């Protein structure tokens, strides 16, 4: 369905954060697969403080998951 | 009630993410079992940036649960 | 107060999900004990995409708790 | 400030759920200590489906904490 | 930036809950450092049921963190 | 994408809280990279009680992650 393979392991917090942003978008993409509609919706949210803040909230939830999956990137042995 | 059997174990993160989307929908389906009403509601949210973003938020919460259930898909021994 | 006894252990994910839905409703029932008012409110949310989606969000949080309580239903020894 | 002593240990899930409701209210009470204002606000939310649902969401978060504190009430040795 | 030192360890659940309320406020204070504006905003939310409920939600998230940091205040050895 | 390197380890809770605020902003910055638009949006939220409260909610989620990554700053051996 989603058609995008991914791993939860990332080399560092920055790339983990980028994955969190990608996952927040992936759910929208899967729920609304029409790229034209998504493009028009993007105009709704990318100048809307409330929606940008809500996206940041979703990123926080995914980042919580990803950070746990990487043991918070504390162990150099686990670094990819 | 929900009438859909499922397991939290999935072979990889992508299928885990798909399950998260399915669970987000399952709760709506159970709360509003009338398919016609759901169809009309779908028209409300699938072009509504705010509601699509909120669905993505729910997916993030379910994905957190599913990722933990699969030990973040890190252990090849556990891969199905 | 709530007057409903329950256990967090359920035989499988499907019944755990049903419990999550029940707990989401139980909090509303306890906060607004008047059945007539709740019935009229139900008419407000069961055709309202935004509120149905928010209920699905609550279900996701309870399901996170219930899934952890059941060790994600992975251990056949613990199955009831 | 809050002036209410409490323990996170409860004898069973039902009493844990009641504590979750109490904690959701306690934060409101502490933020708005004026009982008369709270009473008038109660009229705002107890017939408002959206706010009742949001309260149920808070209860879900507190119940997650309380359930973990009680090891999900699975161990009879820990039962009070 | 925030300028307020704090520890996550508290002697009991009540003081942990108070810290949760303080942290919810601290983020607002840091994002909007102008005390006069905050004072005028306070008039917006302290008689607004929806915003008071949302503050209670934030408190629930911080309390989840603080309760875990204190091992749920179950171990008398750890009591401060 | 985000272009900002960071570690989840911080010397104490205060700096962890500051990082949580930074991460809440980072997701907005990445989703809306245009600094001028962000500046105009800032005028929308920094005098808006509802949006400031929502930002505080995101901070709470990130702080939950960061606090866990630092083992709640309880172990002096781990202090940086």
């Amino acid at each position: 369905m989603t058609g995008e393979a991914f791993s939860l392991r990332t080399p560092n917090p920055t790339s983990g954060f980028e994955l969190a942003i990608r996952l927040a978008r992936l759910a929208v993409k899967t729920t609304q697969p029409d790229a034209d509609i998504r493009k028009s919706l993007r105009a709704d949210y990318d100048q809307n403080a409330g929606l940008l803040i809500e996206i940041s909230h979703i990123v926080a939830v995914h980042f919580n998951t990803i950070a746990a999956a990487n043991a918070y990137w504390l162990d150099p042995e686990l670094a990819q």
Side-chain angles (χ1 to χ4, degrees), chain A:
Chain A
M1 191 194 333
T2 56
E4 292 190 31
F6 62 91
S7 161
L8 289 181
R9 290 295 301 281
T10 73
N12 53 52
T14 304
S15 50
F17 201 81
E18 288 167 5
L19 176 59
I21 292 173
R22 180 177 158 211
L23 294 185
R25 289 177 176 157
L26 181 58
V28 172
K29 194 173 166 183
T30 308
T31 306
Q32 177 44 276
D34 185 315
D36 288 334
I37 295 177
R38 284 205 311 277
K39 200 176 173 184
S40 75
L41 293 176
R42 193 175 166 86
D44 288 348
Y45 72 74
D46 74 359
Q47 299 202 34
N48 182 314
L51 294 181
L52 285 170
I53 286 168
E54 173 60 12
I55 290 168
S56 176
H57 199 152
I58 303 168
V59 171
V61 177
H62 279 306
F63 187 65
N64 185 282
T65 306
I66 294 164
N70 288 279
Y72 306 106
W73 299 278
L74 301 179
D75 184 347
E77 289 290 319
L78 292 174
Q80 289 177 319

